[in-house]
Structures are given as C-alpha cells and as structure tokens.
C-alpha cells in the first residue's frame, strides 16, 4: 500500500509538467494526414514553401556558379534557428531542375544530427554516395574508399542538421572530400554560425517568415480539411496567434493543425491567451507553439507521443510496430471492448500524424519525428526515458521506466550493474537501425546475466532481445515476468522456448522472426489466450502450435502452416480477425476446396499475402487446384501477393480482374502447370511483376495485356527461368511506365523489339542465347547488363546510349569493338568478360579522352585485346580487373602520371613469378591475384607501394618473398593457397614472421 501511495504522489507531481488537467477529455473531430518537412531525406514532402523564393535563388546561384575553390569543395551553410525550414529549403534546392543541368556526377544527402562522430559521419557519407551499406570500422579504410569514389568526380553533398563545433573533427571528415573535381559543392544546414565558421563555409542566414507568408502557412493548415470557415473574428484571433509563432514555419504548421480541430471562438481565445507562450528562457529550446500543441492533445495521445522519447533523433519507425508498443504499455483505451486495440492504435497514430507530430519517411510505411518534436518528447518525459548513447551519462537515473540502447554500446555501460533500479523498468528495447546505419548481430554484453536481469525486472511490460544473435536459450525464469505484455526474440540463436513461457498469461505479443534454429513451439503455447500477435517467419517451425484454435484473440499472424495430420485447420484461421501480413504454407494439404472458404480471407484486412504449395506437389485434379485458389481470394486492401508452386492450369479471375484494385507487387513462382499467363495488364495499380519458372509458358501475347492500355503503373518487370518461353508480343503502348526489365535463363526466347525498350532505364539479360537487341537510339537507358546471347552484336555503338552509366557485356561471342565518335559523359563502369573476339573498346576519331568519368574497368578473358588505345584511359579510373599479361604491361605505358588507379585485380595469368618491379603503376595501393595455377614466387620490389594484398586460388604459390612483405601492407588475404597457408600459420609457420605485423589478416 505504501508503494502505491508513493507512486500516486509521484504521478501527481508529474501532472503539471505533463500538462495534464483533472477531469475527462473527449475525442476531437479529426482529419486524416498532413505531410511536413523530412529532416533525414532529400525527398520533398512539402510541395510548396512560402517566402523562400529569394533564398532559393541565392543558393541555386551559388550551386551552379563556375567559381571554384581549387583545393577544397566550396561550402555554403544555411544557418537559422530550429523550425525555420532549413531542411525543407535544402530539399527544394537539391531537387531543382537547375541542379540536373549542372551535371553533378554524384548527389548525396546525409542527415548528420547532433551526435557527430567522425567514423559514423564518414561512413554515412560513403554509404550515401555508393548506395551500399559499409561495415568498415577503420577510419583509414573509410577515407580510402571515400577518396576512391570521389576522386575526379564533381559532387553535390548535403549535410543536414550539423551541430559539431569542433574544427578538428570536421577536418577529419573533410579530408577525403577534397579529392572531388572542381565545381563540387557541400551544402550544410545548421543552427549555429560557429559550426559554419569551423567549416570555413560561406553563410546564408535564414530569417523568419514575413507577416503575409506566415499567414499563408497558417491558413493552409487550418483549412486543410475544409471543416471550418474563418470569419472575421477568427481571422483576427488567428493573426494574433500567428504573431506569437515568431515567423517559424514548423510552429505555424503545428499550431495550424491544432486549430483545425477547434471551431469555436472560445477555443481559439484560450489558445491565444495560454501562459505557455511565455515559457521561461531556460526552456526556450522548446518552441512554445509545439508545447502548446502537445498540451492540447487528449491525454491518451499525450502518453503515446511521450513514449516516443525512447527513439533517438532521425529514427525511422514502423507504424504497426509503434502501435504494438503502445498496446504493450496499456496506452490504448478500449471502453467496453467496443473496438479492437489495433483499431484504436491506428486512430491514435493517425491523429498524431495529422497533427504533424509524426511525418512520413522516405522508406515506405516508415515514419520519423522532427528533431524539435523529439526534443519535446524527451523534455516531457524528463528522466522517465533513458537512451543509452544518446542521452548524457552512463548510468540510468532512478526514475527511468523505459530504456533503449544499441547492443554494441553496452560494453561501457554500468547502469544495470547493480540492478537496484531495474525493478522500475517497464521497457527494455534495443535500437536496431537508425537511417542507413544497421546495428547487426551481437552477443549479450551487459555486466549482468539474463537470468539475474529477469529476477529483478518483475514489472517489465516490453522486453526485446532483437539482434542479440549469441543468445542460444531463454532462461526458465522468464515465466516469472507475470506483467510481460511483449516479448521479442527475433534474430537470436534460440533453438527452443522454455515451457515456462506458457505461464505468461498476460502476454499479448510474441515475436521470433529470423530465429533460424527454432524448430517447434512449446506444448502449452495455447494457454497464452491473450496473445494478439504471433510472428515466426524464417524459422524451422513446420507445425502450428497444439490447440491453435484456443488463441482466439490473434490479430497478427505472419505464418500459417497447414498439416493434414494436425487438428489445426483453415476454419480456425477464419475465426481470427487478422490484418497486416500472412503467409499460408503447405496449401496442398487442404483436402476439400470448400473447407478453405472458411479461412474467410476476403474479409480480412491483409496488406500482404503469400500462398505456397509444396514444390514437388503433383495435383490430382487441376480444377480442384483452381477452385482451392479461388476460395483463397483476399480483400481488395491487399498490396503485395505471392503465389508459389501453384498446381492449377489457370488462375481464378480475382488474380487479374482488378478486384485487387490496390495491388502493387505480384510474384508468380513455380506455377509449372499454367499454360498461359492471365491478363495481368488489367491490374491498374501494379508496379512490380516478377514471374519465375512457369515452365508451361511458350508465348506471351494479347492474353497477357487484356486491354489496349495495359500495365498503366508497372515500373519493374522480371522473368526468370522460363525454359519453354519462345515469343513475346509487345506494342509501344504496352508498358508506358516500365523502367526496369530483367530477363534471366530464358533459353528459347527469340528477340526483343525496341517497343519493349523505348522508355527503359535499366536492362539486364542473362543466359538468353537467342535474344538480340535492336541497335537503335536509347535516350533513357542508364544501366545495361548482357550475359550471353546477342550474337548479331559485333560493334557496340556507344553513341546510341547517351545516358548509359554502367555497361557490362559477358559472353558476347562476336563482339569486336566498342565504338564512339563523341566523348561519353556518363559512363562510369565498363566490364567486358569472356568475349573471345573483342579487340578494342575504342576507335579513332575522339579528340579528347573518350570516357572522361569512367571509374571502373574490367577486361577479363578477352584474349584478342592486347593493348590499350593510344588515346589513353580516363584519369578517373580507380578500379581495374585484367587477365592478360600484355594488357598489364600496356597499362603502365598508357596511364597518365596523374592517374587515380588504386585497385587492380589480376587473374588467370600463366606465370611463375609476379609482379615485376616496373610492371605495376606506382599509384596502386590494392592488388589482388586470382586463379594463377602456375604462380610459384612473388617479387618483393613489385609490392613495395601496396597497402592491401589479396591472393586467392594460387595452389602452387610456395612462399612469400624472402624479404617478407613491405611494412606498408596493412591488409592481407590468403585463400585457397594450400602451400602458402601452411607456411603462414601462427606461430610456427615459416612465413609467419613475415606477416605477423599486419593488422587485418585472413588466412584460410
């Protein structure tokens, strides 16, 4: 009783800080959604910005000017207080057509935020430029990679929301950026002029909006839904409220969204006269308009928003996941159980979204909070939420109820060491990803065992070990956590669950996704009758839980497995009000097609559905298979559908007749008895279509399109392993928006017309030997990959592909040359492999260097290509792969002394000793030698300038040079070199002393 009274007193003291009032609060009228600026993405969310035309023109003029800093890229900082619209302005500039005309080779957007760590920022810039995740933990390695990708290339880099004021840290990040070509630009947004000063940048100060612009922003959001009209009195009050927003767009939008829900003059006056406008100076980082919008939230929305203080800035969250988190904390009010908690959570989320507390992310179905709203949430929660790494201090305050962390940061954390305060915890949540940074699998590194943790956190509601892959078992004591509502064991190494988990009678959510060793459920899982979410995709589980029908409250079930020998049937599936994603496996085990109608998929709000038969299933009756699939028809809410191993000869009409009016993506795989494709062109919303291994398809014609205007939304089309497919009829109007076409392993397909390809941006054709491509002008094609076939091709006319960025040609048996009459300004990557007739990638007549921005060139297994052209290679080539000794010898003679070449892979050479001292370019830092069966020795002097050496599949390489390896080499990889491997064993190998100093070593 004493503890309850103490808690009540504590909550009473918190009432004022949380802006809570005594009494009840009824729901407001509310609209749907409002978009707003997105701080961590280059995508424009606000289509219109008010009062920034002059600012935009000034910045565009700077970006497109010819004035250059010869030694560094030019930098301009947009400086202004939070909420002024710096990011929105940068987004509009970044996406302006004038920027495209300036022809930057690279454009990248990086959200830096207030945790400036040199390694992390450098890695994020590299990932933004390459569009690939990088796991390098070494700054030297990151600098080299960044230099390689930027050298000689004109780039535009936006660094959004920079806070760092330490000049030396910025200089460490800036070092590799100086290798860009003249004309490179860095655009920065920041709140502090000192930040701009330390970056030695020009400054453009962003001022508050003028009176008219402020009113336009405010009015736009107040009148968004058209539910209220502004009479003269409301306009007068509104203008006085606008004055208090001090010209800040974010404040105007947020307060406008609030007033959209208030139609009475008294409500508007109450907001105008609120004391929150007079916040004390020590609180001035929180914009009063934002605090006021929070204060006028209904109490149920206040706590839902405040819980988001667990998220670090720029964290992208999934709506459904957040709703489940609110459910686990009992935040979702369902009086008299008239509505499901999931429906209530959906309403709560949409209410916060439409009030601009949340905003859409660039990632589909993900959302973020503006960093000022993140500050507000943290301010409101004070010490109730603690975010390891992101909040100050290494110890958790005694008041902490909700704890979030990144597994890799816990080594230095002692906040759970004594566990004296852990008893108060309600949430224990790892953060797995922030923006592009994914925090992978980790061991349990807290200074306390999981069992001891369980013994203390008796009142925990939300418990997650997601990403802790080294956890192999869950202690039996998990059954003592009687208040646990949500348990997430995804991405762990567990093989089974303890039976005691079935004692968690209050458990609502259980997740075991990507537990690749998990084979079965506990026998008594059916006793968790309150369970509303059960997820176990990508596990080894082959049967549903015993007595599955008793789990009547399930709303989210990602996988349903049908077993003939089990009591579990599709009828029990029909009794569940499922939504979200569902995959039904082993469909062939349904004996009677009429039974499957009891699954009642047509009335379930599913967004994604997978239907999968056993791969080697032989049907008794194709008509029965079609009837079965007919009765599995989902609702028209469906967006993603996959059908695998279907054994019918044709598809039911719901697959193609636009009944699924919201279908975006469709996969048909291994439907080997289908003799013709259904008229999928009727699917008006379809953007992605993937067809794999439909062995019965011989031709594709009018039946595929179904209308004179088919595939009105299709952007990506993929065909794989279509072994009997011969003909493809196509008209110019067949694919009006198609951008990506992939054809793989279609051995009988004959030819493509330019009608297939006229608007294409990316084309990939692999192992389609009879396919020839019309040699005509392709204005839009940016990427092309051909592997086999195209026998008519003898000369590739590069001038017909003016926008081509990447060209990969493999096994083109008759290709002799790549021809061009004009310099090509877009081609960056050129690979020619296994083309036995290929002689030259240029012809004479180009006055300047022919491929000015080429950065990668691979020429392998082209025996007739013996030397590079007299015109030389692009100065920007950084990566090369060659398999001809004559080409390697020609390389040093052809390369300009100022070349950027840093990495060279050499393979399939018939030599016994390599490399000669004068053979390789001095600029080279990385050398790889592959598949050289006769190589026995290596020259020390040929390796002196290297930092990285890789040796793979050189079975007769006997030893390293007598002198050892140069001290400059910091990375060494030796694989499939048995003689050398034996000599390099630690510590007794004869060559171990030659490599013991190397930091990054891999011998296997």
């Amino acid at each position: 009783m004493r503890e309850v009274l103490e808690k009540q007193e504590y909550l009473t003291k918190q009432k004022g800080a949380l802006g809570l009032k005594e009494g009840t609060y009824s729901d407001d009228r509310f609209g749907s959604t409002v978009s707003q600026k997105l701080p961590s993405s280059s995508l424009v969310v606000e289509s219109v910005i008010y009062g920034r035309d002059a600012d935009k023109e000034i910045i565009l003029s700077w970006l497109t000017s010819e004035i250059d800093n010869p030694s560094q890229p030019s930098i301009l900082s947009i400086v202004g207080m939070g909420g002024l619209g710096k990011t929105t302005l940068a987004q509009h500039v970044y996406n302006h057509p004038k920027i495209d005309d300036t022809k930057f080779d690279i454009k990248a957007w990086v959200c830096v935020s207030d945790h400036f760590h040199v390694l992390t920022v450098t890695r994020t810039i590299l990932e933004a430029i390459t569009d690939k995740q990088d796991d390098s933990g070494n700054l030297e390695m990151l600098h080299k990679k960044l230099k390689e990708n930027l050298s000689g290339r004109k780039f535009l880099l936006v660094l959004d929301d920079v806070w760092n004021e330490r000049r030396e840290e910025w200089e460490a990040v800036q070092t590799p950026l100086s290798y860009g070509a003249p004309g490179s630009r860095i655009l920065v947004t920041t709140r502090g002029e000192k930040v701009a000063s330390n970056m030695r940048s020009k400054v453009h100060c962003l001022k508050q909006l003028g009176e008219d612009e402020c009113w336009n922003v405010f009015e736009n959001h107040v009148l968004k839904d058209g539910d209220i009209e502004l009479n003269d009195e409301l306009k007068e009050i509104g203008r006085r409220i606008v004055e208090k927003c001090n010209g800040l767009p974010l404040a105007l939008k947020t307060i406008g969204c609030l007033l959209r829900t208030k139609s009475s003059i008294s409500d508007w006056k109450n907001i105008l006269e609120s004391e929150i406008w007079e916040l004390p100076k020590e609180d001035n980082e929180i914009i009063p308009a934002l605090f006021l919008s929070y204060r006028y939230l209904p109490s149920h929305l206040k706590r839902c928003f405040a819980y988001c203080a667990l998220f670090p800035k720029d964290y992208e969250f999934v709506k459904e996941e957040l709703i489940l988190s609110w459910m686990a904390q009992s935040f979702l009010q369902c009086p008299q159980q008239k509505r499901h908690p999931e429906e209530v959570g959906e309403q709560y989320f949409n209410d916060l979204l439409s009030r601009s507390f949340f905003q859409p992310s660039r990632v589909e179905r993900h959302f973020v909070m503006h960093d000022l709203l993140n500050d507000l949430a943290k301010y409101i929660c004070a010490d109730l939420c603690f975010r390891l790494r992101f909040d100050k201090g290494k110890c958790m305050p005694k008041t902490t109820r909700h704890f979030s962390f990144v597994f890799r940061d816990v080594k230095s954390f002692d906040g759970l060491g004594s566990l004296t305060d852990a008893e108060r915890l309600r949430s224990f949540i790892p953060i797995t990803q922030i923006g592009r940074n994914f925090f992978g699998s980790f061991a349990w590194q807290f200074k306390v065992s999981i069992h001891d943790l369980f013994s203390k956190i008796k009142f925990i509601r939300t418990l997650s070990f997601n990403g802790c892959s080294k956890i192999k078992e869950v202690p039996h004591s998990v059954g003592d956590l009687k208040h646990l509502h949500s348990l997430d064991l995804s991405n762990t190494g567990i093989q089974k669950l303890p039976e005691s988990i079935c004692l968690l009678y209050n458990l609502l959510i259980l997740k075991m996704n990507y537990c690749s060793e998990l084979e079965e459920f506990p026998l008594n899982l059916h006793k968790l009758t309150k369970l509303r979410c059960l997820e176990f995709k990508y596990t080894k589980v082959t049967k549903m839980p015993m007595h599955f029908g008793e789990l009547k409250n399930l709303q989210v079930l990602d996988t349903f497995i049908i077993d003939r020998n089990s009591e579990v049937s599709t009828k029990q599936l029909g009794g569940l009000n499922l939504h979200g994603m569902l995959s039904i496996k082993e469909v062939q085990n349904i004996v009677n097609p009429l039974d499957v109608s009891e699954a009642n998929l047509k009335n379930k709000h599913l967004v994604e559905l997978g239907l999968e038969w056993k791969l080697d299933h032989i049907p008794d009756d194709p008509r029965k298979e079609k009837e079965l699939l007919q009765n599995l028809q989902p609702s028209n809410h469906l967006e993603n559908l996959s059908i695998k191993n279907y054994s019918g000869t044709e598809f039911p009409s719901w697959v193609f007749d636009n009944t699924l009016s919201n279908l975006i993506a469709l996969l048909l795989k291994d439907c080997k008895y289908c003799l013709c494709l259904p008229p999928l062109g009727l699917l008006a919303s379809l953007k992605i279509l993937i067809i794999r291994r439909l062995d019965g398809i011989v031709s594709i014609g009018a039946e595929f399109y179904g209308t004179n205007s088919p595939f009105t939304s299709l952007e990506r089309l993929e065909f794989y392993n279509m072994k009997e497919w011969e003909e493809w009829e196509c008209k110019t109007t067949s694919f009006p928006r198609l951008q990506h076409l992939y054809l793989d392993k279609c051995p009988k397909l004959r030819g493509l017309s330019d009608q297939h390809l006229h608007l294409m941006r990316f084309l990939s054709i692999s192992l389609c030997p009879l396919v020839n491509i019309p040699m005509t002008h392709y204005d839009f094609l940016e990427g092309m990959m051909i592997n086999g076939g195209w026998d008519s091709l003898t000369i590739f006319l590069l001038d017909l592909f003016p926008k081509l960025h990447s060209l990969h040609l493999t096994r083109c048996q008759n290709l002799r040359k790549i021809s061009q009459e004009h310099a090509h300004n877009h081609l960056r990557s050129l690979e020619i492999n296994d083309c036995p007739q290929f002689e030259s990638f240029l012809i004479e007549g180009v006055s300047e260097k022919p491929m000015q921005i080429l950065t990668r060139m691979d020429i392998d297994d082209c025996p007739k290509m013996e030397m590079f052209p007299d015109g030389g290679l692009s100065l920007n080539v950084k990566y090369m792969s060659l398999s001809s000794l004559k080409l390697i010898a020609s390389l040093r003679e052809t390369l300009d002394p100022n070349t950027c070449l840093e990495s060279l892979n050499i393979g399939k050479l018939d030599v016994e000793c390599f490399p000669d001292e004068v053979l390789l370019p001095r600029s080279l830092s990385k050398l790889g030698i592959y598949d050289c069966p006769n190589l026995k020795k290596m020259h020390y002097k040929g390796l002196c300038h290297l930092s990285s050496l890789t040796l793979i599949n050189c079975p007769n390489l006997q030893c390293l040079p007598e002198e050892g390896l140069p001290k400059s080499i910091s990375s060494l990889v030796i694989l499939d070199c048995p003689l050398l491997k034996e000599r390099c064993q630690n510590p007794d190998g004869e060559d171990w002393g030659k490599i013991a100093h190397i930091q990054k070593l891999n011998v296997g």
Side-chain angles (χ1 to χ4, degrees), residues 736-971:
R737 299 187 63 182
L738 192 65
Q739 296 185 16
H740 302 253
L741 175 62
Y742 296 82
L743 302 173
D744 191 331
K745 299 184 183 68
C746 304
K748 296 183 180 181
L749 179 62
R750 297 188 298 270
L752 289 178
S753 70
D754 55 358
Q755 293 172 337
H756 292 98
L757 309 173
H758 70 292
L759 294 176
M760 204 71 58
R761 289 179 58 203
F762 298 96
L763 174 66
S764 175
I765 302 177
S766 181
L767 302 177
C768 303
L770 303 181
V771 170
N772 288 298
I773 300 169
M775 192 55 81
T776 184
H777 210 276
Y778 296 97
D779 290 326
F780 301 99
L781 203 63
E782 296 178 10
M784 189 175 197
M785 182 179 294
I786 307 295
N787 181 4
W790 204 357
D791 290 343
S792 64
L793 179 67
T794 58
I795 299 177
F796 187 93
L797 302 174
L798 196 57
D799 292 331
L800 297 179
F801 302 84
K803 295 291 182 67
L804 204 61
H805 289 180
S806 174
L807 175 61
H808 297 180
L809 300 174
T810 301
R811 298 186 185 91
C812 296
Q813 298 300 311
N814 297 314
L815 176 67
R816 292 190 293 109
K817 292 181 180 180
I818 292 179
S819 155
Q820 62 178 139
E821 295 181 4
H822 307 286
H824 203 288
N825 295 320
H826 290 88
L827 193 65
R828 295 187 181 123
S829 176
L830 174 63
E831 296 186 18
I832 306 168
N833 301 313
D834 198 10
C835 296
Q837 304 300 320
F838 185 71
E839 300 171 353
S840 172
F841 60 90
L842 300 172
I843 61 173
E844 297 179 1
V846 180
S847 57
E848 50 188 319
K849 290 202 181 295
M851 300 176 188
Q852 297 182 44
I853 67 169
L854 192 70
T855 58
R856 183 182 193 96
M857 178 185 291
D858 291 6
I859 302 176
D860 292 325
D861 292 319
C862 300
K864 290 194 175 183
M865 174 85 176
E866 296 186 349
M867 61 184 300
F868 291 102
D870 295 335
L873 297 173
S874 165
L875 287 174
N876 297 315
V877 173
K878 295 187 287 292
Y879 313 96
M880 291 194 76
S881 178
L882 304 172
S883 63
S884 162
L885 194 59
K886 289 183 178 180
L887 271 183
I888 297 167
S890 169
L891 185 63
R892 182 150 183 167
E893 299 173 6
T894 309
L895 282 175
D896 190 286
N898 297 317
T899 181
C900 295
L901 184 64
E902 293 185 1
S903 177
L904 176 62
N905 288 332
I906 295 171
K908 304 175 185 177
L909 297 185
D910 186 12
V911 294
E912 292 189 3
C913 191
F914 187 86
D916 185 86
E917 179 182 359
V918 297
L919 189 62
L920 301 180
R922 300 294 298 177
S923 63
L924 208 61
S925 61
K926 298 179 181 179
L927 176 64
I929 301 176
Y930 301 79
D931 303 322
C932 296
N934 298 320
L935 182 64
K936 295 179 180 179
K937 294 182 180 180
M938 303 182 69
H939 282 303
Y940 174 83
K941 291 184 178 180
L943 308 173
C944 285
H945 46 288
L946 298 179
S947 63
S948 173
L949 176 63
T950 299
L951 304 169
I952 297 179
N953 194 24
C954 301
N956 289 305
L957 184 57
Q958 298 170 355
C959 61
L960 295 173
E962 291 183 12
E963 302 91 331
L965 290 179
K967 297 297 182 184
S968 61
I969 292 183
S970 59
S971 174

Side-chain angles (χ1 to χ4, degrees), residues 485-502:
H485 287 176
S486 175
L487 177 61
D488 190 351
L489 299 169
S490 300
N491 294 290
T492 63
I494 59 169
Q495 298 174 346
K496 63 178 182 178
L497 295 171
E499 280 295 327
S500 62
I501 209 168
C502 304

Side-chain angles (χ1 to χ4, degrees), residues 68-95:
D68 293 314
N69 182 337
S71 59
Q72 299 285 349
S74 297
I75 307 174
L76 175 68
S77 294
I78 304 173
V79 178
M81 64 185 296
L84 265 179
K86 300 182 294 296
T87 299
T88 302
L89 176 59
Q91 288 169 341
H92 276 260
V93 169
Y94 186 89
N95 290 284

Side-chain angles (χ1 to χ4, degrees), residues 5 16 29 90 122 167 186 265 371 424 485 508 517-518 522-523 525 564 587 600 602 634 723 777 785 795 846 903:
L5 290 173
R29 292 179 299 109
T122 305
R167 177 171 292 178
I186 300 175
I265 292 174
D371 55 0
R424 300 176 182 270
H485 287 176
L508 304 173
E517 302 302 317
L518 182 67
L523 291 175
L525 194 74
R564 281 190 183 182
V587 177
N600 198 23
K602 206 170 183 178
K723 64 182 185 180
H777 210 276
M785 182 179 294
I795 299 177
V846 180
S903 177

Side-chain angles (χ1 to χ4, degrees), residues 439-491:
F439 307 117
S441 57
F442 291 93
W444 178 261
Q445 295 176 325
F446 285 102
K447 298 175 183 178
V448 59
S449 70
I450 298 177
H451 172 75
D452 288 342
L453 179 66
F454 285 176
S455 70
K456 290 292 184 180
I457 54 173
K458 296 294 187 182
F459 301 102
I460 197 79
R461 297 286 187 90
T462 301
L463 180 61
S464 174
F465 298 106
N466 188 352
C468 194
S469 62
K470 306 302 181 185
I471 294 180
K472 301 299 182 185
E473 62 180 7
V474 179
H476 182 80
S477 54
V478 70
D480 297 331
L481 305 178
K482 302 300 183 185
H483 298 275
L484 190 62
H485 287 176
S486 175
L487 177 61
D488 190 351
L489 299 169
S490 300
N491 294 290

